[in-house]
Structure formats: structure tokens, C-alpha cells
Amino acid sequence: MDPISPLEQTLHAARALVLADLASGDVAAADVVSLVEDSVVQRRWWVEQWPDGMAYVAGLIAQDVQDALLERYGRWPLCPVCGSGDPHALEVEPELGPDPHWVCHKAGVKVAPVGSLGPALGGAASS
């Protein structure tokens, strides 16, 4: 059995983080999981072209899925911090960097690391 390459380990970890956030918001239906898989395929190619970008993959996959969901279903994830006003989505920061977080720009706060959105949404912590 061949060892798993660092690229594949990174992609699998990023997939797991984004799926955990989707599951915490009860939006991990089969068609949404397919959006994650599509992003993983695209980001695999991207990192093969730019290996130094491996640390950015989780945030990029989260952004890809967020963009795809917006086109098909609407905003995700909705901000759990702001209780009034128009519902708005959290954003991933940094846009291109390591250690991505879900951030509410209206309140100016980090809500949760990508992959750990569950407690912020009132659900269980991901394991």
C-alpha cells in the first residue's frame, strides 16, 4: 500500500473541515457534498501548479463551496452573531492564507475556524 502524499492528506483534511461545517448547518445533502468534491478536484490541480499554496486549500475549498451554494441555494453560512438586520453570510478570512476562519464583517469578529462552525451555530463541536 502506497503512503498518502502530503497533497492528498491536505485535500482530505480540507474536505473534512468543510463537510463538518456543512453538517453543522444541516446542509450536507448529497448534491452539496458533490460541490465539495468538485472543489477538491479543482484545488488538487491548483496546488499541483502552485505547491506553496497547500496551506491555503481549506479556506479556498470553503470559499468555493460558499460561492457554489450562493448560486444555487442562497447564502451560507448565515451569521449567528448578528441577531437583527438583514441575514448575511459569514466570510472566510484570510481570502488566501493559512488558518482560515469564518468572520462576520458586520460585527468585526472571528466566529470560528473553518471546520469548527458547529458550536457557533449552536451545534456540537466537530471531532
Side-chain angles (χ1 to χ4, degrees):
M1 183 174 193
D2 294 330
I4 298 175
S5 73
L7 170 59
E8 290 302 316
Q9 289 175 4
T10 299
L11 290 169
H12 287 287
R15 175 190 292 121
L17 292 173
V18 175
L19 287 174
D21 285 346
L22 289 165
S24 70
D26 292 327
V27 293
D31 59 335
V32 175
V33 172
S34 293
L35 298 174
V36 176
E37 296 305 321
D38 291 345
S39 176
V40 168
V41 168
Q42 293 171 3
R43 293 305 172 177
R44 178 180 287 114
W45 178 88
W46 183 82
V47 173
E48 287 170 348
Q49 306 310 305
W50 189 49
D52 290 344
M54 198 175 312
Y56 312 149
V57 169
L60 291 170
I61 290 174
Q63 290 174 45
D64 291 346
V65 171
Q66 185 179 40
D67 291 346
L69 284 170
L70 180 60
E71 290 176 13
R72 294 183 189 196
Y73 302 106
R75 294 181 214 118
W76 174 87
L78 291 178
C79 179
V81 175
C82 299
S84 62
D86 290 331
H88 57 278
L90 299 174
E91 296 179 29
V92 175
E93 277 197 1
E95 286 186 32
L96 184 61
D99 192 29
H101 280 71
W102 293 108
V103 174
C104 171
H105 282 282
K106 263 189 161 178
V109 297
K110 284 185 179 179
V111 175
V114 168
S116 299
L117 196 53
L121 297 178
S126 59
S127 51

